[in-house]
Amino acid sequence: MRWFDERLHHAWLNHGYTQRFEITRVVYQKKTEFQDLIIFDNPAFGRVLALDGIIQTTERDEFAYHEMLAHVPLFAHGNVKTVLIVGGGDGGVLREVLRHDIDKATLVEIDRAVIDICREHMPHLSGGAFEDGRVHVVIADGVAFVAESGDTFDVVIVDSTDPIGSGAALFTAEFYGNCKARLAPGGVLVTQNGVPFFQPDEVVETYRRLAPLFADATFYVTAVPTYIGGLMTLGWATDDASLRTLSEAVIARRVAKAGIETRYYAPPVHLGAFALPPFITALMAGDGHTRPGP
Ligand code: SAM
């Protein structure tokens, strides 16, 4: 029997703990120009994508991540026409974004192989999104794109790998500043920000970098079983603080009008996701332990 052991890139975690998946079949394995890519089948989670040894998404629980990354900013904004996705080559976030009445979604992915291989071996993830006429795919480093593009977007979604390798540059103050420059007035930036129990420094560092740039910077949470360790944080940054004070009735009206059915996202979940446990707010305040526990 073959197993896949995931060890997150965090020093204290590499002692006596791992997340383990049985591999019933290796569907595809390749060292791309940027990373080690594997797609395998697992009895519990279906088809699984990992990059550089880190789980990116699985067939069974991807909805809990992709729905929250897409629908929270789009329904909070309420009139999104243009979206920029940085990373996200598996197409899951793009699929959810396209369920809204938008004009254009631009996806900037550094590694073309992720798009091609996921389209072939995990087609349900993008669900035909890459064939949608509203989609503009750019194969480039997202860091250079946000620095050089003159375009603006109503929502910017950073669906990145963890802050190592090519993903590290997607967590810097300079990158966040350039994302802000890409936002249209009233725009929202959301980011993949790790699991704070295991990766607390991602909350500490991201908040320290976002807070000076935006009138409203915080995190919201989702729970994705294979992003193991409890709640995962998603970064939220905008200059329009009113987007976080909408009533449930307003959000529910927008969801009903859009006619989008979801499995994780819902108006009360949207509002509740911004309620943060004290161990996360302590990290934001700079007085949290970077190694949780006693
Ligand atoms: N949901 C996933 C997670 O949190 O594990 C992330 C999924 S998505 C596959 C992440 C993508 O970000 C990868 O395909 C990777 O190639 C891309 N990426 C990493 N660094 C990048 C960069 N600098 N510019 C654009 N895309 C980047």
Side-chain angles (χ1 to χ4, degrees):
M1 195 179 290
R2 187 169 165 193
W3 295 86
F4 178 92
D5 284 306
E6 182 195 49
R7 292 177 193 277
L8 293 178
H9 302 285
H10 197 284
W12 74 265
L13 193 59
N14 284 330
H15 302 287
Y17 187 82
T18 183
Q19 177 177 210
R20 172 167 259 219
F21 295 79
E22 183 187 338
I23 300 177
T24 47
R25 184 164 86 93
V26 174
V27 176
Y28 195 92
Q29 190 161 20
K30 178 186 172 128
K31 189 162 179 45
T32 76
E33 193 185 337
F34 295 94
Q35 48 214 342
D36 284 317
L37 182 156
I38 184 169
I39 293 178
F40 63 86
D41 286 334
N42 171 267
F45 286 100
R47 200 150 281 190
V48 180
L49 167 70
L51 295 174
D52 285 339
I54 302 297
I55 300 298
Q56 300 295 304
T57 198
T58 89
E59 193 170 27
R60 299 266 160 76
D61 68 357
E62 56 86 14
F63 66 96
Y65 175 75
H66 293 132
E67 287 183 9
M68 289 298 279
L69 205 48
H71 300 314
V72 171
L74 271 82
F75 280 127
H77 183 288
N79 188 28
V80 172
K81 292 295 165 202
T82 52
V83 177
L84 171 65
I85 299 168
V86 178
D90 54 66
V93 167
L94 184 63
R95 178 199 72 211
E96 292 301 317
V97 162
L98 293 175
R99 298 173 76 194
H100 292 256
D101 181 22
I102 61 163
D103 294 337
K104 188 175 176 186
T106 302
L107 181 136
V108 182
E109 164 63 59
I110 201 167
D111 192 346
R112 181 189 299 274
V114 175
I115 297 179
D116 293 345
I117 294 164
C118 287
R119 280 177 82 175
E120 186 174 350
H121 296 289
M122 298 181 83
H124 61 280
L125 265 181
S126 50
F130 288 106
E131 287 96 65
D132 192 303
R134 296 171 291 169
V135 172
H136 177 51
V137 174
V138 180
I139 303 300
D141 189 336
V143 173
F145 182 88
V146 295
E148 291 159 15
S149 167
D151 294 342
T152 57
F153 304 86
D154 297 315
V155 167
V156 175
I157 299 175
V158 183
D159 183 13
S160 64
T161 44
D162 286 343
I164 48 135
S166 61
L170 303 180
F171 289 78
T172 65
E174 187 186 356
F175 174 71
Y176 293 140
N178 288 326
C179 285
K180 177 171 171 143
R182 300 279 63 75
L183 286 177
V188 186
L189 165 68
V190 293
T191 65
Q192 187 281 107
N193 233 98
V195 174
F197 184 83
F198 285 144
Q199 298 156 309
D201 39 359
E202 287 188 31
V203 168
V204 173
E205 294 303 326
T206 298
Y207 187 69
R208 192 180 291 156
R209 291 164 190 167
L210 286 179
L213 290 171
F214 291 89
D216 186 35
T218 188
F219 298 93
Y220 63 106
V221 294
T222 183
V224 186
T226 56
Y227 297 157
I228 198 157
L231 296 171
M232 124 169 263
T233 36
L234 304 172
W236 168 274
T238 175
D239 280 338
D240 185 351
S242 73
L243 300 185
R244 261 207 305 141
T245 59
L246 299 173
S247 70
E248 191 179 318
V250 167
I251 295 171
R253 262 200 304 279
R254 290 177 183 177
V255 174
K257 186 164 174 240
I260 295 175
E261 281 180 23
T262 46
R263 290 204 288 154
Y264 190 103
Y265 178 87
V269 174
H270 176 139
L271 292 180
F274 287 93
L276 302 176
F279 86 92
I280 297 179
T281 52
L283 292 168
M284 293 163 66
D287 55 4
H289 298 285
T290 51
R291 174 178 169 157

